């Protein structure tokens, strides 16, 4: 008879900040540059080069700390974490060990049972990312690209307060919401701008001692995280049930195989010999600075959802989806402010936008069209300049490259035929061409009118208002 | 007070520094490190109760850069610092995780 086990999980989350430049030099952080095109003596660790701290990095870190109820460290500094690896040209990473910028915070999550739970945040510190090793499949060598070297990161270290994969996901979603709303990062797990390392141990239910934990890396989706947690829990329980003991180690999870394996431990133990970085000036964070950053905090999702309910009268389900991503919420609010039609705006977001995002495998943060253009499109439909099927076609174009819908409709000649004489002529032609349907309709088959409307729309190349056509046909056939 | 560096410690320091030391070099390094530690031990004679650990020698703080790109693409120059270059990348000995 096996005992019941409790899973104890703590997370280390690395988030790549959305600054324009690196943490200690004026090199661009833009993705997709040629290999080593965003490098300088500082971020390639050349002797004699001196790092200077990017102010925006500190402001983002403080903003995230305030959103997660942390104490902000008033006097801080940076430390060197020493290790040899070719992706790290200085042979040390500049990080914060002794005086991290934020400490003692928490994030409140909703649990499966519908309750609320606080997940403690031990600390948030600022540090620099490493370069990227490109392995040559056949060659004798490895190649290094230092474009990512020196890109600013914050590492958010939680307390071991989570007890299930569901709680871990809820915590990550909450973190991601805060950070995205702050504009501090796009937090894309797949692309590595948010990375989670999972520390996990198990212990018999009722025990207050922690078991030996392992750390799992390489988890780049919520599904991978869930699989890795379930898999590691089982693995550790099996070891304990068989009378063995769990070894403290770092494991890499392979989501394709659905299993983790111990990473070959580098021959040195983890001995980073941290010491204060003498090249960087200490940091003094004044109360005024903290207050200023606090006053600039955006309205976060829970408050936003409450306000939407009162202000816009759209379904709660829609509110949930629209506020899930700040880009969506921003478009919603801005477009509604222009056209005054919250339901129509919501509808474009909920139906066509979600459909295209899914189809193109895109994230909501990547929506390109402007709220002005969405409002203009809604206006075109409202004024019956175009009908709803043409509007969909215009929207697809807008979704791709933020085309101005008014210009596009004009240029492509997509305006509805408003000349009632011309539409009437088409209707008469369709009636003449389809005696069978006309007979059916007259015999009481209401559905036959639909076919005739369709034929008329086709003949008008879609540029007629289906409602008007319907009414005209009925009038002609009565 | 004389510090003694053990064989294990010098072995370990060698691994951490990625240095291959022969026996004679190990003995020399042990002796040097022992002397350095003895020297630093002298600091222990001072009473530092209530003194904040110093993180920097200059009485300044908050030197920042604005978040503005100031560096252009200088990879030709930067790559001249590489021991070897291929396809715009630094070439290093084959390395695995
Ligand atoms: Zn640089």
């Amino acid at each position: 008879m096996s005992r019941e086990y409790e899973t104890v999980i703590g997370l280390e989350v690395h988030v790549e900040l959305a600054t324009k430049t690196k943490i200690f030099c004026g090199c661009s952080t833009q993705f997709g540059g040629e290999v080593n095109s965003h490098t300088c003596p500082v971020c390639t660790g050349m002797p004699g080069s001196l790092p200077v701290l990017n102010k925006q990095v500190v402001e983002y870190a403080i903003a995230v700390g305030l959103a997660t109820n942390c104490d902000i460290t008033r006097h801080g500094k940076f430390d060197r974490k020493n290790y040899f690896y070719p992706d790290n040209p200085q042979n040390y990473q500049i990080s914060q060990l002794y005086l991290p910028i934020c400490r003692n915070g928490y994030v409140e999550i909703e649990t499966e049972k519908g309750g609320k739970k606080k997940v403690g945040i031990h600390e948030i510190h600022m540090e620099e990312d490493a370069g990227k090793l490109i392995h040559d499949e056949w060659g004798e060598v490895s190649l290094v690209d230092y474009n990512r070297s020196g890109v600013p990161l914050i590492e958010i270290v939680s307390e071991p307060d989570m007890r299930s994969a569901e709680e871990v996901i809820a915590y990550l979603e909450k973190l991601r919401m805060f950070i995205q709303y702050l504009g501090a990062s796009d937090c894309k797990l797949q692309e590595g701008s948010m990375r989670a390392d999972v520390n996990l141990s198990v212990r018999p239910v009722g025990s207050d001692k922690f078991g030996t934990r392992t750390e799992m890396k390489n988890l780049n989706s919520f599904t991978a995280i869930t699989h890795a947690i379930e898999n590691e829990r089982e693995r550790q329980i099996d070891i304990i049930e068989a009378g063995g003991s769990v070894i403290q180690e770092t494991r890499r999870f392979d989501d394709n195989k659905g299993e983790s394996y111990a990473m070959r431990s580098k021959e040195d133990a983890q001995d980073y010999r941290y010491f204060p970085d003498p090249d960087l000036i200490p940091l003094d964070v004044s109360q005024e600075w903290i207050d200023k950053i606090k006053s600039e905090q955006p309205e976060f999702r829970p408050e936003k959802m409450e306000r939407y309910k009162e202000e816009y009268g759209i379904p709660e389900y829609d509110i949930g989806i629209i506020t899930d991503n700040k880009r969506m919420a921003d478009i919603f609010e801005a477009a509604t402010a222009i056209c005054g039609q919250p339901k129509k705006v919501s509808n474009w977001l909920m139906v066509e936008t979600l459909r295209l995002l899914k189809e193109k495998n895109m994230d909501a943060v990547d929506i390109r069209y402007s709220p002005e253009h969405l409002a203009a499109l809604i206006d075109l439909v409202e004024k019956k300049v175009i009908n709803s099927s043409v509007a969909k076609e215009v929207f697809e174009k807008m979704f791709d490259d933020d085309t101005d819908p008014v210009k596009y409709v004009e240029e492509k000649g997509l305006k509805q035929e408003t000349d009632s004489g011309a539409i009437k002529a088409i209707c008469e032609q369709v009636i003449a061409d389809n005696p069978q349907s006309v007979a059916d309709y007259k015999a009481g088959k209401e559905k036959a009118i639909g076919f005739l409307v369709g034929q008329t729309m086709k003949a008008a190349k879609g540029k007629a208002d289906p409602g008007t056509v319907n009414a005209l046909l009925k009038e002609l056939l009565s | 007070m004389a510090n003694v560096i053990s064989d294990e410690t010098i072995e370990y320091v060698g691994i951490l520094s990625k240095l291959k030391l022969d026996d004679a070099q190990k003995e020399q390094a042990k002796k040097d490190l022992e002397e350095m530690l003895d020297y630093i031990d002298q600091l222990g004679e001072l009473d530092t109760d209530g003194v904040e650990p110093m993180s920097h020698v200059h009485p300044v703080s908050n030197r920042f850069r604005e978040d503005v790109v100031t560096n252009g693409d200088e990879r030709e120059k930067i790559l001249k610092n590489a021991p070897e270059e291929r396809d715009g990348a630094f070439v290093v000995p084959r390395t695995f995780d």
Side-chain angles (χ1 to χ4, degrees):
Chain A
M1 183 66 197
S2 75
R3 288 178 292 177
E4 291 280 329
Y5 287 90
E6 178 179 53
T7 322
V8 177
I9 308 166
L11 249 55
E12 286 164 30
V13 178
H14 284 91
V15 175
E16 217 173 67
L17 297 178
T19 53
K20 294 182 193 71
T21 62
K22 295 185 178 182
I23 182 167
F24 298 121
C25 61
C27 289
S28 167
T29 54
Q30 218 173 18
F31 258 108
E34 292 276 310
V35 174
N36 286 310
S37 58
H38 302 321
T39 58
C40 73
V42 173
C43 56
T44 53
M46 287 301 137
S49 63
L50 283 173
V52 185
L53 180 58
N54 181 341
K55 192 175 184 186
Q56 185 64 57
V57 172
V58 185
E59 300 204 327
Y60 278 147
I62 294 175
V64 175
L66 290 173
T68 53
N69 310 294
C70 288
D71 299 329
I72 307 302
T73 304
R74 302 295 293 274
H75 180 76
K77 61 190 174 73
F78 284 90
D79 306 294
R80 292 185 180 179
K81 177 182 181 178
N82 297 281
Y83 68 94
F84 286 101
Y85 205 69
D87 63 4
N88 161 28
Q90 298 158 139
N91 290 338
Y92 56 82
Q93 178 195 31
I94 303 178
S95 181
Q96 294 191 295
L97 179 73
Y98 300 106
L99 297 168
I101 183 86
C102 312
R103 287 179 281 200
N104 302 326
Y106 67 86
V107 158
E108 199 169 59
I109 59 167
E110 265 113 64
T111 60
E112 299 123 83
K113 295 167 199 107
K116 284 189 193 306
K117 171 175 178 171
K118 281 180 183 172
V119 176
I121 291 183
H122 182 76
E123 65 170 72
I124 301 176
H125 58 255
M126 301 177 274
E127 60 186 27
E128 54 179 342
D129 206 350
K132 205 174 147 225
L133 280 175
I134 312 159
H135 296 291
D136 186 344
E137 281 291 320
W138 298 280
E140 302 278 275
V141 296
S142 293
L143 305 175
V144 201
D145 175 6
Y146 290 117
N147 280 351
R148 304 315 291 164
S149 168
V151 167
L153 303 175
I154 50 173
E155 180 175 345
I156 305 164
V157 183
S158 85
E159 299 291 353
D161 287 347
M162 289 158 274
R163 296 290 175 270
S164 66
E166 287 77 17
E167 289 186 8
V168 168
I169 303 302
Y171 168 76
L172 284 170
E173 280 179 339
K174 202 71 187 259
L175 276 188
R176 185 172 65 173
M177 182 277 291
F178 280 128
I179 297 166
Q180 285 183 342
Y181 265 68
L182 287 164
S185 173
D186 57 13
C187 290
K188 291 184 186 169
L189 276 106
Q190 257 86 356
E191 292 175 18
S193 58
M194 187 181 205
R195 306 165 215 161
D197 297 340
V198 175
N199 288 301
L200 184 150
S201 63
V202 297
R203 64 181 174 191
V205 167
S207 163
D208 56 3
K209 276 194 297 190
F210 291 125
T212 306
R213 64 185 161 88
T214 58
E215 181 182 11
M216 274 177 300
K217 289 184 180 289
N218 196 32
L219 305 169
N220 55 15
S221 70
F222 283 162
T223 339
I225 291 170
T226 305
H227 289 163
I229 288 172
E230 280 156 8
N231 183 276
E232 182 60 11
R233 174 188 150 84
E234 293 309 313
R235 193 188 70 87
Q236 292 189 10
I237 292 173
D238 285 350
I239 292 173
I240 294 166
E241 291 281 300
S245 46
V246 175
I247 303 165
Q248 182 166 352
E249 63 191 356
T250 303
R251 302 180 66 83
R252 187 178 277 265
F253 186 70
D254 184 335
D255 202 27
N256 294 323
K257 294 202 184 105
E259 58 190 42
S260 65
Y261 54 91
M263 282 167 75
R264 190 158 58 156
S265 66
K266 294 170 192 165
E267 64 170 335
D268 46 355
Q270 293 212 332
D271 184 342
Y272 294 126
R273 293 148 293 141
Y274 281 93
F275 65 88
D277 191 310
D279 285 345
L280 283 155
I281 305 292
L283 195 59
D284 280 316
V285 181
S286 66
Q287 188 59 48
E288 295 79 69
W289 197 10
I290 296 174
D291 290 343
K292 182 170 176 285
I293 294 170
K294 201 179 247 168
S295 72
E296 288 162 359
Q297 298 279 66
E299 175 189 43
F300 290 112
R301 192 178 179 212
E303 304 94 77
K304 212 182 255 301
M305 289 177 80
E306 278 309 308
R307 183 168 63 82
Y308 278 23
K309 262 182 233 166
E310 290 182 8
E311 221 168 283
Y312 300 118
I314 55 172
E316 222 164 296
Y317 177 78
D318 297 16
I319 292 176
I321 292 188
I322 291 169
T323 58
D324 184 44
N325 185 283
K326 182 149 187 297
R327 176 84 180 125
M328 278 256 210
D330 285 347
I331 291 175
F332 173 77
E333 288 180 37
T336 301
I338 299 167
C339 71
Q341 307 236 39
K343 292 200 174 96
K344 297 253 159 64
V345 176
S346 160
N347 201 41
W348 279 108
L349 290 169
M350 296 296 297
V351 184
E352 287 302 296
T353 304
L354 289 186
R355 177 179 71 84
L356 290 169
L357 284 174
K358 197 171 172 208
E359 215 173 273
K360 294 172 196 279
N361 201 11
M362 280 165 63
D363 200 284
V365 286
D366 300 321
I367 296 174
R368 281 185 283 261
Y369 66 79
S370 66
E372 290 76 19
H373 287 162
L374 179 58
L377 180 67
I378 289 169
D379 195 49
L380 287 173
V381 180
E382 196 61 17
K383 293 199 175 122
K384 297 197 185 248
V385 178
I386 55 174
N387 62 40
S388 58
S389 66
V390 171
K392 268 188 202 170
E393 177 193 329
V394 177
F395 181 79
E396 286 195 16
K397 179 80 177 112
M398 219 172 87
F399 185 90
D400 281 341
D401 55 12
D402 195 27
T403 297
D404 179 345
V406 177
K407 272 193 196 151
Y408 186 74
V409 164
E410 191 73 45
E411 279 165 18
K412 297 276 168 179
L414 296 172
K415 280 193 183 172
Q416 287 195 125
E417 197 55 76
T418 44
D419 175 356
S420 56
I423 300 174
K424 195 171 177 191
I426 297 172
C427 288
E428 282 165 350
Q429 187 60 47
V430 168
I431 288 170
D433 290 347
N434 297 280
Q436 186 57 53
S437 298
V438 171
D440 286 350
Y441 176 72
K442 286 190 169 161
K445 279 191 185 169
E446 277 287 327
K447 273 187 184 170
I449 196 84
F451 176 76
L452 295 171
V453 170
Q455 290 301 305
T456 311
M457 291 298 292
K458 203 170 152 192
K461 299 196 176 70
K463 293 187 288 183
D465 174 43
T468 312
V469 170
N470 195 309
L472 255 173
L473 283 168
K474 280 186 178 166
E475 191 189 310
L476 290 168
L477 293 171
S478 65
Chain B
M1 206 186 90
N3 285 281
V4 178
I5 302 269
S6 67
D7 287 340
E8 292 81 56
T9 301
I10 210 72
E11 193 73 34
Y12 181 61
V13 171
I15 289 170
L16 287 178
S17 349
K18 296 267 187 289
L19 291 174
K20 271 208 174 73
L21 302 173
D22 63 29
D23 288 346
Q25 286 168 321
K26 276 182 198 163
E27 284 311 310
Q28 184 60 47
K30 262 159 78 174
K31 203 168 145 280
D32 290 347
L33 285 175
E34 283 165 0
E35 279 171 17
M36 284 178 220
L37 289 178
D38 287 348
Y39 178 67
I40 286 170
D41 276 348
Q42 290 179 26
L43 291 174
E45 292 166 16
L46 293 169
D47 179 10
T48 54
D49 276 0
V51 178
E52 278 279 303
M54 185 181 70
S55 55
H56 206 271
V57 288
H58 301 296
V60 284
S61 63
N62 295 358
R63 285 297 153 84
F64 298 119
R65 271 179 41 244
E66 293 303 316
D67 187 24
V68 176
V69 178
T70 49
N71 295 341
D73 179 356
E74 300 227 54
R75 79 165 166 165
E76 298 240 324
K77 273 194 200 160
I78 290 295
L79 284 167
K80 286 193 178 136
N81 297 317
E84 200 187 318
E85 182 244 310
R86 187 192 296 170
D87 304 331
F90 284 62
V91 177
V92 297
R94 193 164 165 76
T95 313
F96 292 99
D97 272 334

